Amino acid sequence: MSKLVTPFGFESTTSDVLRGVDLSGKTALVTGANSGIGHETARALASVGAAVVVAARGDRAGSDAAAQIAVSTGNPHVSHILLDLADLESVACAAAGWSGPLHILVNNAGIMAVPELTRSAQGHELQFATNYLGHFALTAGLRTALAAAGRARIVSLSSSAHLHSPVVFGDLDFRFRPYDPLQAYAESKTAAVMLAVEATRRWSADGICANAVNPGAIATGLQKYTGGLKTPAERRKSLEQGAATPVFLAASPLAEGIGGRYFEDVNEADTRTESPGMFGTGVADYALEPRYAELLWEVSAEMVAAVKHSRANVT
Ligand SMILES: NC(=O)c1ccc[n+]([C@@H]2O[C@H](COP(=O)([O-])OP(=O)(O)OC[C@H]3O[C@@H](n4cnc5c(N)ncnc54)[C@H](OP(=O)(O)O)[C@@H]3O)[C@@H](O)[C@H]2O)c1
């Protein structure tokens, strides 16, 4: 399988990768689209005609963002839904409320380095729950809508932080080891890559392709617990550059039929078998390993099913 090389790079913006693209008649759902990279991703997709649904955990934040995007792009087909990824009940509700085909799903929302061990509504470690498990449940819940689109694309926001750790299957929720904020972030971002690998393996027969991205280093609210962005100035990106890789995978004809891969700077990344250290690039081999991806999917499906069973037992 040859690596996808594109005419784009570090400096490319959402406008560059969307030149000549028309998404009229397509529907896109972007999580965390009320701020940062998600907001720019939603704006860019709407700017070329997609009907865009902003998913946000705050009703006001979602409606304000949708209104802002509609005004700035002149596209009236921008709406919002409520979605709290840290609560699997909220995720189930959002998925159940969806109707019609879904052509583009951007699993973008995220949190980083929550300082103290915090648990989600269902008791999972909060970064694993928000960055990965909620998106897993959302993606699985939207499978029929994605299949109905014919050639749907899923984009999973990862990070170079994934290079710091594989998923620790024996203790996904930090019950048996001391909590480490950046370790938990790294694991959640490895899981995000694995979601793309396994969704593609399971669903490519339905025309569904999923890829993972590292958007690069962009100063956003994400760094609120780490004292701001630490990346050297020359390695930082604007929002338009940061959203270029997710938008490319969501919409570019050059990414048609591509799945189960990891991209950065709008190109497929090199695979690493050793940690490249701080501010490194590339994708870790463990993140792309199909056996691990399949196992994580199965474990995650059990976690989501446990919530359904407990709901069924409530009379
Ligand atoms: N910025 C970077 O340098 C960088 C680098 C690598 C990867 N990434 C990844 O890029 C993605 C976007 O990050 P960003 O930089 O744009 O950060 P951001 O501006 O902080 O945006 C994060 C978004 O996620 C939402 N969110 C957080 N918890 C949620 C929950 N429980 N349910 C629903 N939505 C929730 C936030 O909503 P609220 O407004 O309600 O909090 C916000 O809209 C993340 O997955 C991040 O890990 C970013």
Side-chain angles (χ1 to χ4, degrees):
M1 197 165 52
S2 60
K3 236 178 74 175
L4 183 66
V5 178
T6 79
F8 306 112
F10 181 96
E11 303 272 346
S12 300
T13 64
T14 45
S15 314
D16 295 333
V17 303
L18 285 176
R19 199 154 292 127
V21 173
D22 180 3
L23 295 180
S24 306
K26 303 217 162 151
T27 301
L29 172 61
V30 183
T31 70
N34 57 294
S35 69
I37 299 165
H39 190 268
E40 170 56 18
T41 299
R43 187 207 61 76
L45 297 175
S47 76
V48 292
V52 172
V53 181
V54 167
R57 60 177 158 175
D59 198 29
R60 185 67 196 268
S63 64
D64 284 356
Q68 216 176 55
I69 293 169
V71 168
S72 69
T73 59
N75 180 343
H77 306 294
V78 186
S79 56
H80 72 103
I81 58 167
L82 263 184
L83 173 70
D84 182 354
L85 289 156
D87 182 352
L88 293 172
E89 297 284 4
S90 167
V91 176
C93 196
W98 188 270
S99 65
L102 176 59
H103 304 83
I104 297 167
L105 170 62
V106 185
N107 287 330
N108 163 85
I111 49 174
M112 180 173 76
V114 177
E116 304 292 334
L117 176 58
T118 310
R119 299 210 174 273
S120 70
Q122 284 74 31
H124 299 291
E125 186 280 317
L126 195 63
Q127 296 185 72
F128 175 77
T130 307
N131 299 350
Y132 167 70
L133 189 62
H135 280 128
F136 168 81
L138 181 70
T139 305
L142 290 170
R143 185 199 170 164
T144 308
L146 290 161
R151 293 200 310 268
R153 299 188 188 187
I154 303 168
V155 184
S156 191
L157 270 281
S158 180
S159 161
S160 58
H162 90 274
L163 290 160
H164 298 295
S165 181
V167 155
V168 177
F169 280 102
D171 191 15
L172 292 170
D173 283 320
F174 285 85
R175 296 193 185 279
F176 301 98
R177 21 177 199 154
Y179 176 69
D180 177 328
L182 286 170
Q183 173 72 21
Y185 183 66
E187 290 179 34
S188 74
K189 290 295 161 182
T190 296
V193 184
M194 295 159 88
L195 172 54
V197 169
E198 183 62 5
T200 302
R201 189 188 73 79
R202 285 181 182 246
W203 298 346
S204 58
D206 287 333
I208 301 169
C209 285
N211 291 287
V213 309
N214 167 26
I218 306 100
T220 64
L222 189 75
Q223 298 96 18
K224 69 180 172 195
Y225 297 126
T226 55
L229 188 62
K230 299 289 191 305
T231 311
E234 68 279 6
R235 302 283 306 275
R236 296 181 182 197
K237 292 185 178 188
S238 66
L239 276 177
E240 292 78 7
Q241 292 169 331
T245 309
V247 165
F248 169 81
L249 288 164
S252 172
L254 299 177
E256 185 66 46
I258 299 289
R261 308 192 196 185
Y262 177 100
F263 289 76
E264 59 196 355
D265 299 335
V266 207
N267 276 278
E268 191 173 349
D270 290 328
T271 304
R272 305 260 176 237
T273 52
E274 286 177 12
S275 169
M278 277 291 262
F279 309 122
T281 58
V283 56
D285 55 354
Y286 51 71
L288 296 177
E289 171 56 50
R291 286 172 305 148
Y292 301 158
E294 184 177 5
L295 178 60
L296 182 63
W297 186 286
E298 284 165 6
V299 172
S300 309
E302 281 169 21
M303 288 173 167
V304 174
V307 180
K308 282 190 197 141
H309 292 147
S310 66
R311 198 186 306 132
N313 288 337
V314 176
T315 50

